[in-house]
Amino acid sequence: MRPSGMLRKRRMYRGLFDRGIWFFSIYQEIQLESVAVNVTIQDFVADVESKLFFRNKQQVSEEIMFVFPVDPDTVVYTFYATMGDTRIEAMLWDKEEAQKLHKATSGMENLRYLQDQPDIWGPVFVCFLGTLPPNRDVAINLCYIQELPLHTDGAALFCWPQDLFPQHMRFSWQISEDEILENLHFRICLQSACGVSHVDINSSHTPLQYTAPDQTSAEVWPCQMPESQSGKVSLKSTPWHFDDLQLLVYYKRPHNLSAVVESRDPKAAPGSLLGDSVVMVTLKPSIPEVVPSTGQLGEFLFLIDCSLFQDAQNTLLFLLKSLPVGCYFNIYSFGATFKAFYPQSVEYTQESMDNAVRRLSSICPDLGGCDLLGLLKSIYSTPLLHEHPRQLFIFIQRKISSEEEAIMAEVHRYRDDQRCFCFPVNSCDSFNLCQAISLETKGECVCIHSKLDMTSEAVKCLQQALKPLASEISLHWDLPPGLEVTMIRKAPESIFQGHQSIIYAQIHGQAQDPEADVAAVTLKYLVGSQSFNYTLRFSLFPSADDRLPVHRMAMMHLLWKLSRDGTSRSEKGIWQNAVTFSLSLGVQSPFTSSIAVRMELMDTWHHDSLPLDSPMLLPPSHNLVPCQLLWCGFRPVWFNSTKFWMVQKFQFCLEMLHPKASDAVVLTKLSSPRKEQESPPEELVMEEPPPFHISWDWKISPLSTRLCDFSSLRAVVALWKANGSWDLTSALTLALGLSKAEVKGQKPSKHVKPTAWATVLALVWLHRYKWRVSWSELLEAKSCRWLQDQTEIHLNECLEAANSLLGCLVEPIIFRM
C-alpha cells in the first residue's frame, strides 16, 4: 500500500512510509496548507477522494511536479491540478496514440530524469505541473482505490501518511480546534454486511457514529466538521509528530467469508462488465495453529546468488536439514547464468537430502551478471505441484541490471501461485527490488546486515513457511435461476496463515423471478486432512455507488489478465474492448497510457510575467503536459536508525574481541551415509561435484559463541537424518561429549531401539542450547514428530537416563506428548 503523493521541486528529498515503501516529502518552501479527504471503506477496499492545497512560500517561482507511487493493488482514476484559472488534467489514451503524443510533448525529459534519482523506485505516477509563482497556490485533486492489507489481528488497515497533513500541524505542540476545522477535513464512511464493531485510530478521537440501525455502516470524522454535519467524531490531536494516521476497522463477525455486490452502471449495455453487477468476495480461511497431519506440504525453492556461495552454503545446509519429509525442494544458483540441482523439484527423502548436501560445494563463485529474470521465468514455466504451494527463498547480493520492471511483471503475473522470502545483504543494490517482490507475494524481506544473522533469519522465515495453510480452495455459487457467475479473478489454490485473498466475479443474465434478491456462496478448503466449509448469503440488490470502486478494481484485474494472456493488437476485437474498458473507468492498463492536458488558457494572475515561449501562449494543440506512469530504477536503502547503527557497532566490537576460531574439521564423513553413495541419476542438471568440503564457519553471534560449543553443534546437525532422527554412532557420541561405554551403559533397556535412544539423547543435548540458539526449535519439532510416530520407545525411561547421563533437567513436555 502506497497512498502517498508529493509536490516536488526539481531536487529530491526522501523519507519512509508504511511497510517500508517510499514516501517523498515536500520541499519546505512549498508547503501543504490544507487537506480535504473523503474515504469510503467497504470490507477491505478503500475509495479515496482527496484535495491537497499547496502554497509556494518562496519569493521566486518554482518548477514543480506531482509524484504518486502506485502498487499493483492501487488504481488512480482521477487526477487534476488547478493553478489560478488553469487546470491540468491527466487523461488516458490508447497506448500507441499516447506514445505519439509523448513524442510531441515538450518537457518529457522533466519526467525521465526521475528514473535516475536515488530516492525513487518502482512504478510512480508523475505529472509535471509547470511553474508556480511566489505566494500562489496549487490544488491537487487525486482519487484512487486500493485493496487494504489485513492487520495481524484481522482488522482492515487504512493509512494516511503524516507528510500529507498540513506542515504547520505536524510540527506544532498545540493545535487549536479552530485550526483543525479550517485546515484538515477528514471523513471516513464504513460499510460492511458483517457489521462494524469498532475502530482504532492512533490519535485521540470521539466515538464512532453508526448510520444504520443494524450497524452495517458508520462514519468517522478524525477531525472536527461543521455543526451542520450529523454524527461527528473529532480528532483531539494529530498523530504524534512523524506518525502516519492509521485506521484499523474491526468487523462484528470473523471475515472467513464476506461479499460486497456493486450494482451495474445504468448507462452501460447489459452483458458488459459495467452493464452487470460485480461481486467482490474476501476469503480469509480460519486455519488452526496446530494441525494433525502425516506430513507437511509444500515446494521449497532456494535461489542462491553465486557471489554469496561461501556464506550461503552453511545456511543452505541448515535449511535442508530442517525441511519436512514429504515436501518437494530444489536449489538454484544464479550469476551470469543459472543452474539447478534438479530439472524439477524432487521429493524430500534421506537420499535426496544427502545428495543435495553433497552438491552444495558445486556452487562456484560467479562475479559476472545476475540473471534472476531468466531463472524466475524458468521456475514459473514449470507446473505447480498439486497440494504443494510454492515458496521461494531468494538470497542475493548483486544489483539486477536494467531488468527490475521485467522481473516485477513476472512476479506480478504469478503472485497468486507463490510466496517469496528475500534476503538481500546490507549493501545490496537490489534491496528495494527484493522488498517489492516480497510485498507482491505476501512474503517477507529480511535485510542481512551482517554475516552473523543469515542462518537465523532464514530459519525464522522457514518456520513461518512451515505453518499450516488452507489448500484445495474452491468456491461454489448458488444463484437464482437465470443468473450466472463469470470469474474475473479466481481464488488461489492455497492461502497461507494470516493472509487473505480478494476475488471478483461478474453476475450476468436475467433472473427468472424478479423478486429473487438473495444468493449464496460457499467456501471449501482443507487444512491438512481436515475439511472446512463456510456458506454466506448476500443480497443481489445493494445500494448503488456512482464511483463504482468494485467495478474499477475488477476492471484492473481483468485488464491485467488480458495482458498476461498475451493479447496483442493483432487481436483487434479483444484489444479494442480492453482499451474501451480502460478508458471508460479511468483505469490505466498495459493497453493505455496517460498524458495531461492544460485547459482554460487565460491566466489572470501572472500572464504578464510569462516568457514568450510559455506553453500557456501556445495553440491548444500544443498544450500537452508531461504526465506518465514511469518505472524508476531500484536503488539501495540507507538506514539512518541510530539504534541499528549501535547494534552493528556492538557486534563489530565483539568480533574484534573474539577473533574467529580456526576452521573446524571437515565433516564430510559425518554428513554422508555410512554406506557408499550411489551415483546421482543422469537427469541431474549440474555435474557431479567434488567431495563435500565446506568450511564450517557458521555465522552466529559472537556473544552466543562464548556460551556453547558450536563445533559440537555442527557435528550433531551434520548427523541429523531427514526424518528427524539420529543413528547411534561413535561420531554422535563424540559430538555429545560422551564415550561409547557411557552411552551403552545408560541405555534404559534392551527393548529401546538404538535410533530412538540416540534421538532422545541428541534432543536433550540440544535443548540445553535452546535459549542461546533460537532456531533450534525447528530441530526439536522435527525430531519430536518422529518420536511421536514410534511405538514402544519408553520415553520416560529414555528421558530419565538422558538427563542423568548429560546432567540435564529437561521436562517431558519437550516431547509434546
Side-chain angles (χ1 to χ4, degrees), residues 238-292:
T238 56
W240 180 254
H241 288 280
F242 299 103
D243 287 345
D244 303 324
L245 176 68
Q246 294 192 353
L247 169 69
L248 292 172
V249 184
Y250 296 87
Y251 299 104
K252 281 189 171 294
R253 64 172 183 260
H255 256 67
N256 296 320
L257 186 63
S258 65
V260 174
V261 178
E262 188 172 85
S263 298
R264 60 182 294 270
D265 183 352
K267 296 177 291 185
S272 64
L273 183 60
L274 281 176
D276 289 334
S277 296
V278 171
V279 57
M280 176 185 73
V281 181
T282 303
L283 313 177
K284 185 184 176 296
S286 176
I287 303 174
E289 286 289 339
V290 180
V291 179

Side-chain angles (χ1 to χ4, degrees), residues 602-617:
M602 296 303 296
D603 190 341
T604 59
W605 44 267
H606 78 305
H607 182 276
D608 296 336
S609 64
L610 287 174
L612 295 178
D613 60 348
S614 170
M616 292 186 179
L617 301 180

Side-chain angles (χ1 to χ4, degrees), residues 175-338:
I175 305 171
S176 67
E177 291 187 3
D178 291 339
E179 282 188 275
I180 296 177
L181 177 62
E182 180 180 356
N183 297 313
L184 183 61
H185 302 276
F186 220 111
R187 177 175 178 266
I188 302 174
C189 298
L190 310 174
Q191 301 172 6
S192 177
C194 297
V196 180
S197 173
H198 63 283
V199 298
D200 186 9
I201 306 177
N202 62 337
S203 62
S204 57
H205 60 90
T206 53
L208 181 71
Q209 177 69 48
Y210 290 103
T211 57
D214 57 359
Q215 298 185 347
T216 57
S217 64
E219 291 185 346
V220 182
W221 282 275
C223 49
Q224 195 165 0
M225 300 295 290
E227 291 299 327
S228 59
Q229 296 282 357
S230 61
K232 61 183 180 182
V233 175
S234 300
L235 185 70
K236 296 180 180 178
S237 65
T238 56
W240 180 254
H241 288 280
F242 299 103
D243 287 345
D244 303 324
L245 176 68
Q246 294 192 353
L247 169 69
L248 292 172
V249 184
Y250 296 87
Y251 299 104
K252 281 189 171 294
R253 64 172 183 260
H255 256 67
N256 296 320
L257 186 63
S258 65
V260 174
V261 178
E262 188 172 85
S263 298
R264 60 182 294 270
D265 183 352
K267 296 177 291 185
S272 64
L273 183 60
L274 281 176
D276 289 334
S277 296
V278 171
V279 57
M280 176 185 73
V281 181
T282 303
L283 313 177
K284 185 184 176 296
S286 176
I287 303 174
E289 286 289 339
V290 180
V291 179
S293 176
T294 56
Q296 201 83 24
L297 304 178
E299 180 189 18
F300 300 91
L301 306 180
F302 304 102
L303 286 60
I304 311 298
D305 185 339
C306 291
S307 63
L308 286 171
F309 79 106
Q310 184 64 53
D311 302 314
Q313 280 180 340
N314 294 327
T315 299
L316 273 178
L317 175 85
F318 197 92
L319 292 173
L320 281 174
K321 293 282 186 176
S322 303
L323 291 176
V325 174
C327 73
Y328 284 75
F329 77 101
N330 204 347
I331 299 175
Y332 301 85
S333 60
F334 63 93
T337 60
F338 61 87

Side-chain angles (χ1 to χ4, degrees), residues 547-619:
R547 285 152 62 176
L548 300 172
V550 175
H551 277 78
R552 293 184 196 272
M553 292 303 301
M555 183 76 71
M556 181 194 72
H557 289 289
L558 175 61
L559 292 169
W560 274 106
K561 180 179 181 296
L562 291 174
S563 175
R564 290 194 300 267
D565 292 344
T567 302
S568 64
R569 188 171 288 275
S570 60
E571 303 173 80
K572 293 185 178 179
I574 300 177
W575 181 283
Q576 290 176 355
N577 285 337
V579 171
T580 302
F581 290 159
S582 186
L583 298 180
S584 62
L585 286 176
V587 178
Q588 187 153 332
S589 70
F591 307 98
T592 55
S593 185
S594 296
I595 195 162
V597 178
R598 189 190 305 271
M599 296 173 285
E600 299 182 12
L601 303 180
M602 296 303 296
D603 190 341
T604 59
W605 44 267
H606 78 305
H607 182 276
D608 296 336
S609 64
L610 287 174
L612 295 178
D613 60 348
S614 170
M616 292 186 179
L617 301 180
L618 295 177

Side-chain angles (χ1 to χ4, degrees), residues 398-445:
R398 287 175 291 185
K399 176 178 175 58
I400 308 296
S401 302
S402 306
E403 293 179 340
E404 295 93 346
E405 186 173 3
I407 288 174
M408 289 308 302
E410 284 294 304
V411 172
H412 177 78
R413 181 177 182 179
Y414 297 97
R415 64 173 181 168
D416 291 333
D417 299 332
Q418 61 173 329
R419 179 165 62 167
C420 296
F421 297 92
C422 298
F423 306 90
V425 299
N426 186 35
S427 58
C428 176
D429 284 349
S430 296
F431 174 85
N432 289 329
L433 174 63
C434 293
Q435 190 178 48
I437 291 174
S438 61
L439 287 174
E440 183 74 14
T441 60
K442 299 181 180 178
E444 188 171 342
C445 178

Side-chain angles (χ1 to χ4, degrees), residues 43-60:
D43 286 356
F44 285 87
V45 169
D47 187 3
V48 182
E49 283 186 306
S50 62
K51 194 166 187 177
L52 315 172
F53 296 88
F54 293 88
R55 186 174 183 84
N56 184 5
K57 295 279 189 175
Q58 296 194 103
Q59 298 305 310
V60 296

